Amino acid sequence: VLAIERAMLPADHLDIATSLSNLAELHESKGDHEQALPLYEEALAIERAALPADHPDIASSLKNLAGLRYSRGEFSLALPLLEGALAIM
């Protein structure tokens, strides 16, 4: 799906961000944090470019990325992401 979306849609389309997040969640659930990290980061970048700064989807992406950072033991990187999500919520 992601390959088709990348071929058919503009690079900053929100459907691509959704597919990136879904794929990241799949990798994370398998314990493959190295594959998940850039996908979450790209999804967040697309959302930040396309949505208002206080949009709930951005909060969700911040929370997802924070959870991954936490799972990797990167607590100092997870905290500001969680704080950002909380500020939006």
Side-chain angles (χ1 to χ4, degrees):
V1 171
L2 181 59
I4 293 169
E5 288 174 344
R6 285 194 192 272
M8 303 297 294
L9 300 172
D12 61 350
H13 198 282
L14 289 172
D15 285 350
I16 293 174
T18 299
S19 292
L20 287 164
S21 290
N22 290 342
L23 185 56
E25 287 178 30
L26 175 66
H27 284 297
E28 185 177 7
S29 71
K30 293 175 19 183
D32 190 354
H33 297 164
E34 292 300 316
Q35 290 288 329
L37 182 61
L39 299 171
Y40 276 140
E41 290 174 333
E42 186 180 354
L44 179 59
I46 291 170
E47 290 170 351
R48 282 187 164 156
L51 298 170
D54 62 348
H55 196 280
D57 287 355
I58 293 175
S60 247
S61 289
L62 287 167
K63 182 183 69 65
N64 289 341
L65 187 54
L68 179 66
R69 292 286 191 188
Y70 183 86
S71 295
R72 293 167 50 110
E74 299 170 340
F75 307 117
S76 64
L77 297 174
L79 182 60
L81 296 168
L82 285 174
E83 290 172 337
L86 182 59
I88 293 170
M89 289 186 234

